[in-house]
Amino acid sequence: MEYPFSYRWQFISKSVPEQLWPLLSDTNRLFKDMGQLPVQHASISHNVPKGHKELTYEQIHKTDIWEEEPYEWEAPFHLKVRRNYKSGTYKSLLFSFDIAQHTNGSKVTFRFSGEAKNFSSSLRIKRNFSSSFKRRLNKIVHFYDSIISSSETNVFKKHPFRLIKKPNWNHLKNDLIQLSSDSSLSGKLIKLLRQSDDLDLEAINPIFLAKKWNEPLYKVLDVLFFATNLKILNLQWQVACTTCRQTQKNIRKISEITDSLYCSYCKKEFELDFHNSINLVFQPHPLVRKLDVKEYCKSSPAQRSHVKLHQYVYPGQKRFVKVHLDPGNYKIYCEQTDSTVLATVQNDGLENATLTFNNRDSQDQHVTLSTDPNLVIHNQTGERIFVIIEDLDLKKYSVSASEITSQQLFRNLFPNELLQNEQQFKCEDMTVMFTDLTDSSSMYSNNGDEFATGQVIDHFEVLRKIISEERGAIVKTIGDATMSIFQEPVDAVRAFHRAQQHFKEAQNSDYKIQLKGGIHYGNGIAVTLNNRIDFFGKTINIASRLVENAGSEQLVISSDAYKNRNLELFLNAYKDEIRVKHFDVTLKGAEEKTFEARCLSMNNSSLRLVV
């Protein structure tokens, strides 16, 4: 005999889907707020399909054992997960929620359906999904509304937490203010540590704090660095798989990083990428606040917030999906085929598109989509596939080890955060920019060493501030020149343009500072050299040669860097200020090869190319 059940409840929220999604899709927190028990791995079978997990409850409720399928979601509108039970009350359970646009907010629909194991189990399930549970769901939705409308950090219920020694919060805040000279952010951080749920503090993401507090990332990072120096926080490095981007390990020091790790999802080893797969988060120092973190979900979509679609499509099926995508670049693919669709998302892109996956296409396809596209996924492979839409702009979700370890404040406060001796890590898809002063020798000869040295140092400080604001970092200075790294070429071009505008508008009457620069995009190697982390390789060498071919207020950029879609949009917006010319150049040390480049002139005068 079968004992099916089905429950459906609908609630009205004051928040729009894009606001609600980050909270509801954090199923680790959602399940806790629902009153569910913590879970742990059961590991009783040897043939669990890829992406599936065998789970059970912690403590005394280990009689419930289930195999959990991968979560499916269409951000920010839909999420579901299916559990197939091997023992316990349920035979199967399907949980889902939908968020639909509603007048001045959203309509949230929760669904619970499945089958009970037997009659007595069906009675227990009926008690579980009682009217009190419905009221709890309603309370959760309204509580998340209050968080969204608040200017504070994601502060949930003020749960009691364990302390080894009760800290004097006022003293901690005053110490942090004195060291950082930022009373506003210091106060917000201390309030976060005092009031937040343990789950909020397990991995404090600087990107999240900067967005929530509406503050520049570099300012938030500075306060977090100072708080770590005062032993209010601890650093933690998250190591993610380079393929699926799921965190596989958390480590305290960079020197503890090994060359390769095993991904539990991909079922294979992966080589670490210092630029893309090692990210910085923070935790409270245990003497300030001792966390007691439990897991209520082992694969929350919030852990992969850069993934916007995660969906099964069955053989022959044409599945309609609805997602919201911010402007940018995305990869659409399935793990069962070699075909990939590279999507550029912009406001005037296609509103309707059909994406076909089969076993024949191996070349990448390109499509331009709108921010709210209606997509049809057509599966012609003959097997069930898992389709994924992944945001390629990773800097929106994390800060990388290469970015952090190149910042001067981090180096000053944490001089021992270095790679092991002779250890090397690849850095894929990094942007390298070199800048130099134009005709600085005349400044020294005409104004003297003291004046010239002061000008050079001041210009370094201007560059350091602007580059950090554009998500870059100065790795080193060489004479009057700088070498810096960025997440993508548009960040470097924007920083150069801003810096040159600053020098043009704030000229010293005795000397006119004019920059020249070179940018290349590619792969490099991270090493420890002279007690700091440095970068080497062909990409760095080419960037250093390109700057030699730039004239005053010019930026020579390689064709590889110029292909960046976001850079194209930036240059279109500034076409009246930045003039672009194509030219071929022969670089020193590679005379046998002609190098294709672009010259970006920032001065609106005739182009002066030094080739």
Side-chain angles (χ1 to χ4, degrees), residues 215-219 221-222 395 403 407 461-474 486 491-492 494-495 498-499 502:
E215 293 282 354
L217 176 63
Y218 76 95
K219 285 188 175 181
L221 281 170
D222 285 353
K395 74 175 186 289
E403 178 182 353
Q407 295 186 15
E461 290 306 311
V462 171
L463 284 177
R464 182 170 284 111
K465 180 176 184 299
I466 292 177
I467 286 172
S468 65
E469 290 174 355
E470 297 297 341
R471 292 294 301 274
I474 294 180
F486 296 83
D491 300 326
R494 189 184 294 113
R498 285 185 55 198
H502 171 88

Side-chain angles (χ1 to χ4, degrees), residues 182-292:
D182 194 323
S183 58
S184 175
L185 288 181
S186 297
K188 289 180 179 179
L189 178 61
I190 296 302
K191 188 172 183 178
L192 170 75
L193 299 179
R194 289 186 66 178
Q195 296 185 353
S196 293
D197 187 277
D198 283 352
L199 291 176
D200 290 311
L201 303 179
E202 182 185 12
I204 302 172
N205 188 334
I207 299 285
F208 167 77
L209 291 186
K211 184 177 181 181
K212 186 65 179 180
W213 290 340
N214 195 26
E215 293 282 354
L217 176 63
Y218 76 95
K219 285 188 175 181
V220 173
L221 281 170
D222 285 353
V223 171
L224 295 176
F225 292 155
F226 285 125
T228 304
N229 187 250
L230 290 170
K231 293 183 170 52
I232 297 173
L233 297 175
N234 276 339
L235 296 170
Q236 189 174 81
W237 300 97
Q238 290 184 333
V239 182
C241 172
T242 52
T243 301
C244 67
R245 302 291 179 187
Q246 296 192 47
T247 299
Q248 299 300 315
K249 190 174 183 180
N250 295 316
I251 56 177
R252 288 290 308 278
K253 289 183 174 293
I254 284 184
S255 58
E256 299 172 4
I257 300 176
T258 56
D259 293 332
S260 62
L261 286 174
Y262 182 80
C263 177
S264 59
Y265 179 82
C266 297
K267 307 295 184 184
K268 62 181 180 180
E269 285 192 349
F270 63 94
E271 185 181 356
L272 292 186
D273 184 333
F274 197 71
H275 189 60
N276 291 301
S277 63
I278 305 172
N279 306 312
L280 179 67
V281 294
F282 296 83
Q283 280 188 339
H285 192 285
L287 293 180
V288 171
R289 176 163 171 182
K290 180 74 172 178
L291 300 182
D292 183 20

